[in-house]
Amino acid sequence: MNTASKSENIEALIDEIMPESQIDKNYIYGYTQPGLMASIMYNKFQFLVASDYFIVYFTPDNLLLLTVTTLGDLSGEYAIIPIEDIEFFKAKKGLIQYKITIKFYGEQKSMILKCNKAILNMKWQKENINHFLETKWNGFVK
């Protein structure tokens, strides 16, 4: 349980999927907001049933999305998105979290991830967010 909270578990899965990549604080945890129907149906518990949770790993050529279950485990499901498929990337700084917008070529909607600056059981999140600020989100943000 909570395998996604430990950096060694995340890095082992990334290394299994992309063995040639060099992992250096290039991943963050984020979630998507539930839609309107989920908000109406589940009210206060909408985040437990309708949100999608991810570990997002940035490489110079790809984005790797690792899915995280509601209980905080790495599910083993993933998507590799080539940089060429990304039309727009923006990271907007908020008071306690970042709002990351990713628009893909040919898609009507954008993927909006919320990334908290710090998470209690994920000590690496704050350090990795700071790393991305220093590196301008690995070149994604111009």
Side-chain angles (χ1 to χ4, degrees):
M1 187 145 139
N2 283 330
T3 56
S5 64
K6 295 180 175 54
S7 59
E8 56 270 3
N9 295 338
I10 295 166
E11 291 172 8
L13 183 57
I14 291 170
D15 192 45
E16 184 180 313
I17 296 167
M18 302 175 107
E20 71 285 346
S21 64
Q22 188 173 27
I23 305 165
D24 180 33
K25 302 178 192 169
N26 295 345
Y27 57 90
I28 55 172
Y29 171 81
Y31 63 92
T32 59
Q33 290 285 111
L36 178 62
M37 285 307 292
S39 299
I40 293 169
M41 290 175 59
Y42 300 111
N43 199 8
K44 296 179 197 169
F45 304 106
Q46 63 186 339
F47 288 97
L48 293 175
V49 294
S51 294
D52 292 320
Y53 306 93
F54 300 100
I55 300 293
V56 183
Y57 173 62
F58 297 84
T59 73
D61 303 321
N62 303 299
L63 275 183
L64 173 64
L65 298 174
L66 304 173
T67 58
V68 178
T69 66
T70 307
L71 296 176
D73 292 321
L74 293 166
S75 71
E77 296 178 10
Y78 63 90
I80 298 174
I81 302 164
I83 294 301
E84 299 86 38
D85 291 349
I86 298 173
E87 180 179 352
F88 176 77
F89 180 92
K90 180 181 178 184
K92 183 179 177 185
K93 186 177 181 178
L95 189 59
I96 59 170
Q97 66 184 4
Y98 283 86
K99 178 180 171 183
I100 298 174
T101 305
I102 305 170
K103 181 160 179 9
F104 304 103
Y105 285 107
E107 296 292 323
Q108 296 292 340
K109 289 185 149 185
S110 299
M111 178 181 196
I112 298 174
L113 288 171
K114 304 278 182 139
C115 300
N116 292 349
K117 292 180 182 177
I119 301 172
L120 188 60
N121 63 339
M122 295 178 176
K123 303 288 186 206
W124 48 265
Q125 177 81 350
K126 184 175 182 178
E127 185 178 339
N128 290 6
I129 290 276
N130 289 335
H131 171 75
F132 280 114
L133 289 174
E134 292 168 7
T135 63
K136 298 226 186 275
W137 293 87
N138 267 4
F140 281 88
V141 177
K142 305 293 183 220

